[in-house]
Amino acid sequence: MPAHWDADQYLRYADLRNRPFADLLARVPELPPRPTVLDLGCGPGNSTAALRRRWPDARLLGLDSSPDLLAEARRAEARRADGGPVAEYREQDVTGYDPAPERPDLIASNAALHWMDTDTADHLELLPRWAAALRPGGVIAFQLPGNFAAPSHTLLADLRRTPRWRDRLAPARPDASCHAPDRYARTLLAAGCTADVWESTYTMVLPGPDPVLEWVKGSTLRPVLDLLPGAAERAEFLAEYGALLRRAYPATGHGTLFPFRRVFAVAVKR
């Protein structure tokens, strides 16, 4: 993941960001008592909290590479007053992580798998390793955005390549990817799992001025903003990108409609 995340910005639309993960967990079968549950790419801990609500007696381990997001996750953990098991959080590059020593009953990943591509490896390559680490009957459950061909992303890619910005923003992380659902299904089946894979498009109604810009500032835009530390230059870029987004996603009298495609998978180890 990018090095510098803003937990407050990411959680600005927390209810909307959390809904796909709630829909994913609704399709996960029951686990054994006191399961070991891994949250890979746990971010600020909102997904870990959802896992606790579903399995309150679980041993929870959250991993993420962002110290800023993990700090928020630990703060949220410290504010808990329910007396339940305490989640453990580790700073970890998930792409190189082997979950086998934990013997997990569930490996979950919420809106993070697409950040796990590297220059030499595709995130699909992680799934057989995760499947091999599961106990028999264990589960992999993930969801990730599938809207990389939407204006929110294509306009950003085009803007980064313009003469004004290409020299500054060329080092930005390449655009993330999401595969077609059938590729996830084939990969999970080949790894010895069942495969329940589907997609949904949420038509979100975002309130306030420039809401799509505010949305992407919490996720997609982070690698770009890291390369624009100067306030004036950053403001110039955001003004230009914001104007493009307003044309692509015009406001209505009820808010701004933002179609958001997601891909989901629940796999059970045979």
Side-chain angles (χ1 to χ4, degrees):
M1 280 191 174
H4 300 100
W5 282 77
D6 184 332
D8 291 336
Q9 185 70 39
Y10 180 83
L11 293 172
R12 180 169 181 171
Y13 297 104
D15 289 346
L16 294 174
R17 290 192 189 277
N18 290 341
R19 181 182 168 189
F21 194 56
D23 292 344
L24 174 72
L25 294 187
R27 301 280 283 270
V28 175
E30 286 304 317
L31 301 178
R34 295 178 293 280
T36 294
V37 175
L38 307 186
D39 186 2
L40 301 188
C42 63
N46 53 313
S47 52
T48 316
L51 291 164
R52 177 187 284 110
R53 288 190 293 272
R54 175 72 188 274
W55 294 283
D57 62 344
R59 176 195 170 226
L60 291 168
L61 172 60
L63 275 64
D64 203 281
S65 62
S66 168
D68 301 317
L69 295 183
L70 287 172
E72 175 57 32
R74 294 185 179 111
R75 284 192 292 268
E77 192 72 28
R79 292 193 295 266
R80 288 180 53 228
D82 58 19
V86 175
E88 179 186 354
Y89 291 103
R90 296 179 194 165
E91 185 175 340
Q92 173 79 50
D93 176 6
V94 178
T95 60
Y97 172 67
D98 180 8
E102 307 294 344
R103 292 185 52 79
D105 298 287
L106 170 63
I107 296 175
S109 181
N110 178 45
L113 200 58
H114 57 298
W115 292 108
M116 299 178 194
D117 289 334
T118 69
D119 292 339
T120 59
D122 185 288
H123 64 258
L124 276 176
E125 298 174 26
L126 298 175
L127 299 181
R129 185 197 311 166
W130 292 3
L134 292 171
R135 296 175 187 267
V139 182
I140 295 172
F142 63 83
Q143 67 89 16
L144 71 163
N147 63 334
F148 298 108
S152 54
H153 290 70
T154 58
L155 291 172
L156 177 60
D158 291 344
L159 182 58
R160 282 170 44 198
R161 298 185 187 106
T162 60
R164 171 68 181 93
W165 299 109
R166 63 190 175 202
D167 291 339
R168 292 299 310 276
L169 301 182
R173 181 187 185 279
D175 294 336
S177 64
C178 174
H179 297 289
D182 67 286
R183 288 200 66 189
Y184 293 109
R186 290 193 184 100
T187 301
L188 292 165
L189 290 168
C193 297
T194 65
D196 178 13
V197 183
W198 72 99
E199 62 180 271
S200 294
T201 298
Y202 297 81
T203 301
M204 300 180 176
V205 184
L206 303 182
D210 287 329
V212 178
L213 179 63
E214 293 301 318
W215 178 281
V216 297
K217 280 166 65 177
S219 53
T220 304
L221 206 52
R222 298 314 306 172
V224 176
L225 296 180
D226 282 350
L227 296 174
L228 296 173
E233 195 173 39
R234 180 179 289 203
E236 179 187 353
F237 180 85
L238 290 176
E240 192 171 350
Y241 181 41
L244 294 171
L245 291 176
R246 285 192 296 275
R247 288 195 289 271
Y249 301 96
T252 74
H254 306 283
T256 299
L257 301 182
F258 183 45
F260 201 42
R261 176 177 175 261
R262 316 293 292 192
V263 175
F264 303 78
V266 174
V268 179
K269 186 173 183 177
R270 299 191 190 99

